[in-house]
């Protein structure tokens, strides 16, 4: 079973690498991303980097704002309806059991997050390296993200 999964992973990796190499050979890819694959700072002017980072950050921030509003409305509305139904007698909620289940879920979540620490450290290190190599784009992205959240 493990050999089959390993073969499948290798096959998928080969296809992704082939697709990447194919894309790099295309004219449009070279026009947009340049021929080398170094940091963005080597390819574009500072103004272009800030504009690209700001635009993508604004889009991400705006999307997070809209998704966040929908999620907050759904959760808040659900809790409001639950409380109204409880107070009017349509349903009976065992709040002690709810609290017990929430505490159990918190303990389970805490246990699982302790196991994921090495993977998180690797992700943080990679993210830090990316930010250091592309500080102009990153600062533009953060500024645009905050503007997107505010708009």
């Amino acid at each position: 079973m493990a050999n089959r999964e390993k073969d499948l992973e290798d096959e998928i990796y080969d296809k992704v690498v082939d697709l990447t190499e194919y894309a790099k050979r295309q004219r449009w890819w070279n026009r947009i991303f340049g021929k080398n694959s170094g940091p963005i700072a080597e390819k574009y002017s500072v103004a272009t980097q800030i504009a690209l980072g700001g635009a993508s950050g604004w889009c991400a921030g705006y999307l997070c704002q809209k998704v966040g509003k929908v999620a907050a409305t759904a959760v808040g509305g659900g809790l409001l309806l639950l409380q109204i139904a409880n107070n009017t007698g349509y349903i009976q909620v065992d709040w002690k059991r709810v609290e017990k289940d929430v505490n159990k879920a918190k303990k389970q979540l805490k246990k699982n997050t302790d196991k994921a620490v090495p993977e998180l450290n690797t992700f943080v290190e990679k993210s830090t390296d990316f930010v250091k190599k592309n500080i102009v784009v990153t600062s533009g992205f953060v500024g645009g993200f905050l503007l997107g959240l505010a708009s």
Side-chain angles (χ1 to χ4, degrees), residues 22-56:
Y22 171 78
K24 284 183 180 178
R25 288 192 300 267
Q26 302 305 309
R27 273 191 186 155
W28 63 269
W29 182 271
N30 289 333
R31 261 188 267 134
I32 294 173
F33 296 107
K35 293 190 185 216
N36 64 350
S37 60
I40 290 175
E42 297 174 2
K43 299 175 194 163
Y44 295 107
S45 69
V46 173
T48 304
Q49 292 178 57
I50 290 173
L52 284 173
S56 60

Side-chain angles (χ1 to χ4, degrees), residues 8-92:
L8 186 60
E9 279 183 20
D10 290 343
E11 184 180 334
I12 291 171
Y13 177 77
D14 290 341
K15 287 181 180 178
V16 169
V17 170
D18 290 344
L19 181 62
T20 305
E21 291 303 318
Y22 171 78
K24 284 183 180 178
R25 288 192 300 267
Q26 302 305 309
R27 273 191 186 155
W28 63 269
W29 182 271
N30 289 333
R31 261 188 267 134
I32 294 173
F33 296 107
K35 293 190 185 216
N36 64 350
S37 60
I40 290 175
E42 297 174 2
K43 299 175 194 163
Y44 295 107
S45 69
V46 173
T48 304
Q49 292 178 57
I50 290 173
L52 284 173
S56 60
W58 183 86
C59 291
Y62 187 77
L63 183 65
C64 284
Q65 175 205 33
K66 294 300 178 186
V67 169
K69 278 185 179 180
V70 168
T73 302
V75 171
L79 288 173
L80 180 68
L81 290 175
L82 181 67
Q83 194 63 28
I84 290 171
N86 184 36
N87 285 337
T88 57
Y90 284 109
I91 61 171
Q92 291 289 359

Side-chain angles (χ1 to χ4, degrees), residues 115-134:
K115 294 177 186 174
V117 170
E119 296 155 1
L120 184 62
N121 288 339
T122 304
F123 176 73
V124 169
E125 289 172 8
K126 287 181 181 179
S127 299
T128 304
D129 288 342
F130 177 81
V131 168
K132 286 179 182 176
K133 288 179 183 175
N134 301 296

